Amino acid sequence: MSGHLSGSVQYLKGVGPARANGLSKLGILTIRDLLYYFPKRYEDRRLYKKILELKDGEIATVSGKIELTDVVAMHPKLAVFKAAVSDGSGIIFAMFYKRPSYRYDVFNKLKTVLVPGTRIILHGRVEIFHNTRQIRTEEYEVLAGDETDRLHTGRIVPVYPGTEGVPCRFLRSIIKQAVERFSKYVPEIVPPGYEKTVDETPVKYAMEQIHFPDEFDKIERARKRLAFDEFLILELAMLLSKRQHSEKRKNRDIRILKNLLTPFRQKMGFDFTRPQKKVINEIFMDMTSAKPMNRLLMGDVGSGKTVVALSAVLLAIENGYQAAMMAPTEILAEQHYYTTKNFLNDLSVRTALLTGSTPRSKKRDIVRSLAEGSIDLLIGTHAIIESRVRFGKLALVVIDEQHKFGVMQRHKLHRKGALTEEASPPDVLIMTATPIPRTLALTIYGDLDVSVIDELPSGRLPVTTMHADEPFAWDFIAKKIREGRQAYIVFPLVEESDKIELKAAVQEARRLSMDVFPEFRVGLLHGQMKGADKEKAMLDFRDRKYDILIATTVIEIGIDIPDATVIVIEHADRFGLSTLHQLRGRVGRKSGVESYCLLLGEPKTDEAKKRMNTLISTTDGFVIAEKDLEIRGPGEFFGVQQHGALPLKIGDIFRDIGIINRTRKLAGEILSNDPALAGRKHLNMKEELIRNYAGRFFLPQTG
Ligand code: ADP
Ligand code: MG
C-alpha cells in the first residue's frame, strides 16, 4: 500500500524533469519525501486588512478587485508590472518587480492572469509614498471558483525552505497535491492493541494539519502525532541494536594481571578519584566478560577521562591484545599521542600515530606492524576506520569526543571486518566531555551503557571567569607571566577552514606578539599548520619555551598543559556555551592553583549576554548544558541535531521528552511480545524500521 509513497514526484501535476531535478537538490525524490518535507514556519494570511488602514512598512494581506494593469520600466535593468487594486476603502498598487532578462515572459503571463475585473488576494510589504499605497507582492492569488479553497493566501499558509528553481510557492502547490492524493497511504504503524498509548488523531489527519492547518493550535498536535511514530521507530531501532549487540560473544581471555596497570598507577603520581575508580571497575567488568563492551563515558572537562581510558588500554595490552584510540581531529589525536607516550614511555608499550597527514610510506609501515602485532596501541583520527587498516589482535577501541563523530559513524566500527579479521567484536569505549541531561543521553546513546565521572580531582579550584577589555587582559597576562605562569590567547574561528577569518587571527597574533608582548615569547597554533609544526608549538609551550600560546579553536578540546593558568578568549560573544566551556577547560587543570578565564567582546544580543553571564556564574558543565538548552531552545543544543547525530525530521529531542519516554516503553513491550516483529500487525512498523534504519545501527539489511 505504501508503495504509492515511493512513486516519483514526477507523478504530480506541474513536476517535469527540470523541477524534479531541482527537488532532488532538496533531497526530495519521492512522494514520501515530499510529504515529510515539513514547513519551517507558518504565516497567518487569514485576515484581510482594509487598504485605507494600511501602514507604511507593515506586512499585510489585502483582498480586492483589479482595476487596471500596466508595465513600467524603472530603469534599464528593472521593470515593474503594476496592478491597481481596490477594496472599496481605497486603492493600492500591487508591484511585481522583475529583472528584464525574463520580464517579458513573466509579464505576459501576469497579464493573462491579472485581468481587470478579477478578484485577487495580495500579500507583501506595504509602502506608502505621498498618499500612494503600494505593496511589494510576495504572494498573490486570483480568486476564481471556490472561494474556500485558498492555498497561498486567505489561510494559515505554510512556508517551506526552497532553493534555486524550487520556490516556496511551487513547493506549496505540489505538497498540497501530494497531501490530497497520497496522505491516505501514510501507514498507521502503532499496532492494534496499543492505540491507547498514542493520541488517537489519525496519521492522515496529522499529515494534513502539519502542512495546511485549520487553526494554529492544530499544528503542534499534528507535530506531536507524527513525532510519536518517528520516535517509536527510533526507539525500536535502538533496542534492536542493543539486543543484537548484547547477543554477540567475544572470544577473548582478558584477566586483570596488573603487569602494566600497577607500574602505570605508580607513575601517574596521583590517586584515582572515587568516580574514576568506579568507572574503571565498570569497564574492567565489561572487558573481562563474554559480552562486547559498548559503553559511554561522560565526564566534564578536566575530570580525568584520559587516564581512565589508558587503564582500559593497558588491560588489553597486558593480555597480549591491541587497542585503538580515535579522536575527531588531528590535533587532538596528536595531543593524545604525546600525553599517552608521556605516561607509557617506560612501560615498553609500542604506540603509533595515524592521521590523514601521515606520509604514505610511514602509513605502510604502520599497517604492516599492526597486522604483525608489533604495535600495541594505535592512536589516530577517522583515518583509522577509513583506510584499510587491519589489526591482528584488536580488543579495544576508545573513541574520544563522540559528539563530533555522530551516532551513525560509530556504528561503522562495528561492521564486520571494519578493523579486524577476527570474528570477535572489539570492546568499545566512547568518551564525551559534553555533559548532557540524562533523558537526552538515553535518546542519543540509547544503545549504550553509560558511566559518569561526576567529580573533579581534589584540590581543583573553579576557574575565575570575568568579562574584560583588552588593556586589562594584556596587563593581567603580563602580571601572571611574571609570577611564573603561562597563558593562552584564543581566537575562536567559526570554521577552522575559513581562510579569511584565519588570516585575520594570524595577523592579530603577529600584532600582539610584536606590539603588545615584545618582552615575552609568543607561540602560534592553528588548524592549518602542518602536523609537525603543531606538535612543535604544543611541545614548546609545554616545555615553557613560550610564555603565551596564541591559538585558534583547535585547542578547544584535549590540550593538557597544567601550568597554563590564564586563558583569554577573543570574540567570546560570538561563541556557543559549549565551545566556551571547553575552551575554559584548558585552564584550572592543576590542583591548588588559581586559574582565570577572561572573556573579550561586547555581547550584542540578549542571548550572547546570557551566554557570557552563564559562563561567568558557573563552572559546572551540567548547569551550563541545561542553560545552553534554555537559551538556544530546542533543536540547536550542542549541535546534536545539525550533526546528523539522529535522523529526525519532526521529532525534537528536547520538546518531546514525554513522547520519547512513552515510545521507549512501547517499543520495549512490542519487542518482548514479538522479538522478531514477525506478526502481521507489526508489518507496517517493520517496513518503516527497515526503510529508515537498515544498514544503520546493527540492523540487518532485510527483515
Ligand atoms: P579530561 O580528558 O576528562 O578532560 P584529563 O584526563 O585530560 O581530563 O585530565 C585532566 C588533568 O587532570 C590531566 O592533567 C590529568 O593528568 C589530571 N588528572 C587526571 N586524574 C587525576 C586525579 N585523579 N588526580 C589528579 N589529577 C588527575
Ligand atoms: Mg580529554
Side-chain angles (χ1 to χ4, degrees), residues 302 305-306 332 336 400-401 431 557-558 586 589:
K305 295 182 293 298
T306 310
L332 236 188
H336 268 310
D400 196 9
E401 300 302 343
M431 304 195 285
I557 0 175
R586 295 316 106 210
R589 300 172 83 83

Side-chain angles (χ1 to χ4, degrees), residues 268-273 276 299-308 336 339 343 400-401 431 433 453 456-458 460 558-562 585-586 589-591:
M268 257 181 2
F270 48 74
D271 285 330
F272 286 124
T273 61
Q276 279 174 322
D300 209 346
V301 272
S303 62
K305 295 182 293 298
T306 310
V307 280
V308 168
H336 268 310
T339 315
F343 276 118
D400 196 9
E401 300 302 343
M431 304 195 285
I453 305 183
L456 296 180
S458 65
R460 292 282 173 80
I559 279 201
D560 183 28
I561 294 166
R586 295 316 106 210
R589 300 172 83 83
K590 197 169 185 169
S591 294

Side-chain angles (χ1 to χ4, degrees), residues 268-451:
M268 257 181 2
F270 48 74
D271 285 330
F272 286 124
T273 61
R274 188 193 45 82
Q276 279 174 322
K277 282 185 196 150
K278 182 188 69 169
V279 169
I280 288 173
N281 202 29
E282 287 164 348
I283 293 170
F284 281 14
M285 295 274 277
D286 285 350
M287 289 178 69
T288 50
S289 91
K291 278 200 261 174
M293 172 167 73
N294 206 14
R295 185 171 287 280
L296 174 73
L297 169 55
M298 284 206 283
D300 209 346
V301 272
S303 62
K305 295 182 293 298
T306 310
V307 280
V308 168
L310 283 179
S311 303
V313 164
L314 292 177
L315 179 63
I317 296 173
E318 70 178 14
N319 280 275
Y321 291 96
Q322 293 168 304
M325 207 161 173
M326 295 203 309
T329 63
E330 283 192 16
I331 191 135
L332 236 188
E334 287 155 15
Q335 170 72 23
H336 268 310
Y337 182 65
Y338 302 118
T339 315
T340 308
K341 274 215 309 216
N342 192 29
F343 276 118
L344 304 187
N345 253 346
D346 309 334
L347 302 180
S348 61
V349 170
R350 298 158 298 178
T351 47
L353 175 69
L354 180 72
T355 69
S357 49
T358 305
R360 268 255 190 79
S361 57
K362 175 89 183 147
K363 198 171 145 189
R364 258 201 310 273
D365 289 348
I366 291 178
V367 169
R368 186 164 16 80
S369 311
L370 277 174
E372 289 167 6
S374 54
I375 290 176
D376 303 310
L377 170 61
L378 181 66
I379 296 175
T381 54
H382 226 204
I384 295 186
I385 306 189
E386 266 140 26
S387 57
R388 271 187 240 110
V389 175
R390 286 285 181 280
F391 291 76
K393 280 188 100 180
L394 181 67
L396 173 71
V397 179
V398 177
I399 305 177
D400 196 9
E401 300 302 343
Q402 151 72 9
H403 68 288
K404 302 259 168 163
F405 277 107
V407 177
M408 294 307 160
Q409 274 150 309
R410 159 162 51 95
H411 293 281
K412 248 192 181 172
L413 261 182
H414 296 275
R415 297 233 186 97
K416 199 160 166 279
L419 286 175
T420 166
E421 309 294 353
E422 253 195 297
S424 251
D427 287 316
V428 175
L429 178 67
I430 294 151
M431 304 195 285
T432 177
T434 307
I436 43 184
R438 192 174 159 69
T439 2
L440 188 54
L442 276 172
T443 314
I444 305 176
Y445 306 117
D447 58 336
L448 303 176
D449 299 313
V450 176
S451 294

Side-chain angles (χ1 to χ4, degrees), residues 25 149 182 404 528:
K25 291 196 187 104
D149 194 20
F182 296 99
K404 302 259 168 163
Q528 309 262 308

